[in-house]
Amino acid sequence: MYTEQGVSVTTHWWRHAAIYQIYVRSFADGDGDGTGDLAGVRSRLPYLRELGVDALWFNPWYTSPMADGGYDVADYRDIDPLFGTLAEAERLITEAHEHELRVLIDLVPNHCSDQHVWFRDALAAGPGSPERDRFWFVPGRGADGELPPNDWTSYFGGSAWTRITEADGTAGPWYLHMFAPEQPDLNWEHPEVRAEFEDVLRFWLDRGVDGFRIDVAHGLAKKPGLPDVGPDPDVTDLPYQDCDAVHDIYRSWRKILDTYDGERTFVGEVWLPTPEQSARYLRPDELHSAFNFDFLCCAWDADALRRVVEETFAGHAPVGAPPTWVLSNHDTIRHVTRYGREDTSFDMGDKRLLDPSDPVLGRRRARAAALLTLSLPGGVYVYQGDELGLPEVQDLPDALIQDPTFVRSGGTDRGRDGCRVPLPWSGSGASLGFSPETATASPWLPQPASWSGLSVAAQEGDPDSFLSLYRTALALRRERLAGLPESLTWVEAGPGTVCFDRDGGFRCLLNASDSAVPLPEGAAVLLASGPLTDGSLPPDTAVWLTL
């Protein structure tokens, strides 16, 4: 169906693809209502093709009340009117393929919206009804059932349980929601749940999507009896994640996917404490790949970066799966901001959203990290705005924050909206080109005025810009690295460096130390993340070489 843009490839496309993540609400607004939509995406397909990525991953575009930015799905077979129509999504898939861009869409199987017809039917049907068996409705503890069924806490803060009131006004059972109360967890022990999602897979595969990113892939199955976590839990054996039954689900899904041509693929959002646990999801009859969160969370430290790369390869080797590399996404602090902090690591449990950051240092390190990431064997994900060097927006007014974690945490966690601010396409106008010039609605989140200098238009003609760096690096990656063996050879280049060779005389050298390091004699520079001086590589800079 596709060419690989002039490159002879001997491996499956998904093993080496550069995939661009589109948070539709913030990518481009085509109709002028201040919210990104499919019309906006379609208008920017030439930009994405020119950027040099191989595929697009769309965050949820389904019908949703937007209690959690679309991850509360009310209808898995239709498009939310905010974004467009199902017919428009079908046109987008076709047009993306015409631009030789594959399309992956988000699938949210752990939970749905409380506005989904199944949950509405469950509430209306009453106690003991079969409709409630599709969810986790459980009697409470205590004399009158006034206490939650167990001690599980929501990922968004507070209890993972909400008690319902029956139609007659009496207090009813509790239902499980590992995220917001508007996101009831589905009961994957129920055959109707399994059948429903197998049908949803076929629905979108029949419309030409090339794969799925699976939200909370480790969380679908729960331990029988829903036992307490307890005061001192073993993080490798929690009752609401990584339960053995989840693997049978993915084996059944893989059988469906493999009946379609065009090498369709699964990538899992798998946040687990050990590489061994994550690797089980990547066995040959389950998921094709998973996000590498250890790499994303890693501090700007040469030894730590090398250790994560080594552990990634060691964890993937037994199952033969390709590694993936990612620096930012819609749930995390943008890495330009992280790399400018004193503590450059990332932790979902303590994002330190208001920590000060040096923007100059952060941008320099982010440029170097881009070259490191794009040179590693395996697949790579680029979150929209990474290619522009966008920072986290840390000063959104409280009244405009929409992330449910902000409310659930009592304001102590400002949430993820700071990495979801609409993109700047031009250097002027009320929305910096995010919306049409004639639009009167403001973007759903405000853009900093300083982003005019980071817009696509401002960077387009600058050979030293972030955008030029990404375009050049992605083109060189496709030309020199796509299809090479998924291996590397470490090279000792001095303290504070990460250096490795790949086949064809390619070398990546990153300097994360406090002093310059010499470049190897006789090497030719393919691309550098910053200026080189006197045959040496300055601190917080990376370079691609041919030997």
Side-chain angles (χ1 to χ4, degrees), residues 125-255:
S129 62
E131 288 85 352
R132 290 192 178 180
D133 291 341
R134 297 165 175 159
F135 301 91
W136 295 104
F137 282 92
V138 181
R141 296 188 290 195
D144 298 308
E146 72 278 9
L147 300 176
N150 63 30
D151 63 356
W152 297 3
T153 57
S154 163
Y155 291 113
F156 287 169
S159 174
W161 296 91
T162 290
R163 195 175 194 184
I164 68 168
T165 300
E166 300 289 6
D168 63 2
T170 60
W174 300 69
Y175 70 89
L176 177 66
H177 52 85
M178 291 305 302
F179 292 88
E182 297 87 351
Q183 296 167 288
D185 275 42
L186 290 156
N187 175 10
W188 275 88
E189 295 178 6
H190 198 295
E192 289 183 16
V193 174
R194 294 189 61 151
E196 169 71 1
F197 277 88
E198 289 177 0
D199 189 73
V200 168
L201 289 175
R202 293 187 180 95
F203 179 89
W204 289 106
L205 289 167
D206 290 341
R207 280 155 181 78
V209 302
D210 300 283
F212 301 86
R213 176 265 191 186
I214 303 169
D215 186 59
V216 199
H218 55 281
L220 278 58
K222 276 69 174 178
K223 277 193 176 181
L226 310 181
D228 282 346
V229 171
D232 187 23
D234 177 359
V235 295
T236 68
D237 188 28
L238 295 172
Y240 48 76
Q241 68 179 38
D242 194 35
C243 299
D244 287 343
V246 77
H247 297 285
D248 185 54
I249 297 168
Y250 297 136
R251 282 189 287 270
S252 68
W253 287 10
R254 182 64 178 266
K255 290 177 182 176

Side-chain angles (χ1 to χ4, degrees), residues 14-73:
W14 42 268
R15 298 190 74 97
H16 58 80
I19 300 176
Y20 188 92
Q21 179 187 355
I22 294 180
Y23 192 78
V24 179
R25 199 176 186 186
S26 299
F27 184 71
D29 170 20
D31 63 9
D33 65 357
T35 297
D37 49 37
L38 301 188
V41 176
R42 291 171 62 206
S43 73
R44 300 295 183 179
L45 287 174
Y47 166 84
L48 294 165
R49 172 64 172 160
E50 185 180 359
L51 181 61
V53 294
D54 304 299
L56 311 175
W57 154 36
F58 290 87
N59 288 101
W61 56 15
Y62 313 107
T63 306
S64 169
M66 298 294 160
D68 182 26
Y71 282 91
D72 48 317
V73 180

Side-chain angles (χ1 to χ4, degrees), residues 292-486:
N292 189 341
F293 293 114
D294 289 338
F295 185 78
L296 183 153
C297 296
C298 187
W300 184 255
D301 175 84
D303 292 339
L305 287 165
R306 174 166 171 168
R307 184 166 57 252
V308 167
V309 172
E310 290 175 335
E311 290 175 351
T312 296
F313 279 110
H316 285 64
V319 291
T324 65
W325 314 100
V326 59
L327 294 170
S328 289
N329 66 27
H330 65 294
D331 285 331
T332 62
I333 305 294
R334 285 195 177 270
H335 61 279
V336 165
T337 296
R338 295 200 317 267
Y339 287 153
R341 294 170 167 177
E342 184 174 343
D343 181 351
T344 54
S345 64
F346 178 77
D347 183 347
M348 280 295 290
D350 182 11
K351 304 184 189 76
R352 310 186 321 278
L353 284 160
L354 299 181
D355 278 13
S357 176
D358 179 343
V360 175
L361 178 62
R363 287 175 64 81
R364 187 164 68 243
R365 288 174 169 173
R367 290 172 64 92
L371 292 196
L372 173 65
T373 303
L374 292 171
S375 62
L376 287 164
V380 65
Y381 285 79
V382 177
Y383 178 45
Q384 63 181 43
D386 285 358
E387 79 278 17
L388 303 178
L390 297 184
E392 186 82 2
V393 179
Q394 297 177 283
D395 59 354
L396 289 171
D398 289 2
L400 297 181
I401 294 176
Q402 300 190 28
D403 192 325
T405 60
F406 180 66
V407 175
R408 297 277 294 173
S409 68
T412 60
D413 184 338
R414 292 183 61 79
R416 301 156 292 174
D417 287 350
C419 67
R420 301 175 177 182
V421 173
L423 296 190
W425 291 93
S426 67
S428 60
S431 69
L432 302 179
F434 172 69
S435 299
E437 290 184 7
T438 56
T440 56
S442 299
W444 72 280
L445 287 174
Q447 305 148 306
S450 61
W451 277 20
S452 63
L454 301 178
S455 68
V456 173
Q459 298 194 41
E460 196 104 50
D462 180 0
D464 296 323
S465 69
F466 251 91
L467 182 57
S468 293
L469 179 74
Y470 266 84
R471 282 177 173 168
T472 304
L474 284 163
L476 285 170
R477 182 180 187 271
R478 186 182 311 116
E479 175 188 327
R480 301 190 64 96
L481 302 178
L484 289 182
E486 292 164 7

